[in-house]
Amino acid sequence: MAFMVKTVVGGQLKNLTGGLGKGEEKGEGEKSAAEAQGMTREEYEEYQKQLLEEKMERDAQFTQRKAERATLRGHFREKYRLPKSEQDEAQIQLAGGEVELPKELAKMIEEDEDEEDHSVIGQLTSMQNLDLDSLKGKAQSTLEDIKQSAEKCAVM
């Protein structure tokens, strides 16, 4: 509603004044960006340089963090034998190749590796030359021995 009133009354008001206000508006519009900010031209240029440097620094930090995450994902892809991601490799290359993980992430990976090594499945999967047939035969013979000793037991 306020918009409608403003457009109707504002248009009528401009017609009545005959465009006297236009000259004043152009004078304000001709101010440079530095004057609009209340700075001299040199101060404004220095301010723009500082903004650009800060932006570049933020971008570099962001790229580094993305590369760290890509390295972490790559570690888990290797661990679980998943295919490599070209996007992750590209992010690592953007950061300059070799990326060092932060202490928190490296600590998390080390804890994960320690947990895996302590489990039986983790040890079995780490063995590459595992003879499953001999292992199966040993398990069956052990099971038969237990059955025989259970039959001899008077309590059962």
Side-chain angles (χ1 to χ4, degrees):
M1 182 72 180
F3 175 73
M4 294 289 289
V5 172
K6 184 177 180 181
T7 54
V8 171
V9 174
Q12 297 290 334
L13 188 59
K14 284 183 184 178
N15 289 339
L16 288 175
T17 59
L20 293 176
K22 289 183 182 178
E24 296 172 358
E25 291 175 8
K26 285 186 180 179
E28 291 176 13
E30 291 177 359
K31 285 185 179 180
S32 68
E35 291 172 349
Q37 295 282 339
M39 301 181 215
T40 64
R41 185 174 184 88
E42 292 81 23
E43 289 175 336
Y44 184 73
E45 288 175 0
E46 183 65 32
Y47 174 71
Q48 289 297 325
K49 283 182 185 179
Q50 185 180 10
L51 286 178
L52 183 63
E53 289 173 0
E54 289 175 359
K55 183 184 182 307
M56 290 173 59
E57 186 177 326
R58 282 193 313 270
D59 288 346
Q61 289 174 345
F62 182 67
T63 303
Q64 179 67 24
R65 278 186 255 132
K66 284 176 73 173
E68 289 171 356
R69 291 184 205 117
T71 303
L72 185 63
R73 284 191 301 269
H75 168 75
F76 286 118
R77 286 179 188 279
E78 287 176 14
K79 177 182 174 185
Y80 294 111
R81 296 184 180 104
L82 298 173
K84 292 184 177 183
S85 171
E86 293 179 16
Q87 183 180 9
D88 286 347
E89 291 176 10
Q91 287 177 347
I92 292 171
Q93 291 299 322
L94 273 174
E98 196 67 28
V99 177
E100 191 171 315
L101 290 176
K103 292 179 182 180
E104 298 85 26
L105 295 178
K107 188 177 183 182
M108 183 179 75
I109 290 173
E110 288 174 9
E111 290 174 358
D112 193 36
E113 288 175 352
D114 290 343
E115 290 174 7
E116 182 181 310
D117 291 342
H118 293 299
S119 68
V120 175
I121 295 172
Q123 290 177 354
L124 288 177
T125 56
S126 65
M127 294 179 178
Q128 292 182 0
N129 298 328
L130 183 63
D131 187 15
L132 292 177
D133 293 331
S134 66
L135 188 61
K136 184 178 177 182
K138 288 180 183 179
Q140 286 177 347
S141 66
T142 305
L143 186 60
E144 290 174 10
D145 290 342
I146 292 173
K147 283 183 183 179
Q148 289 177 359
S149 62
E151 289 174 1
K152 293 178 185 178
C153 181
V155 177
M156 293 181 127

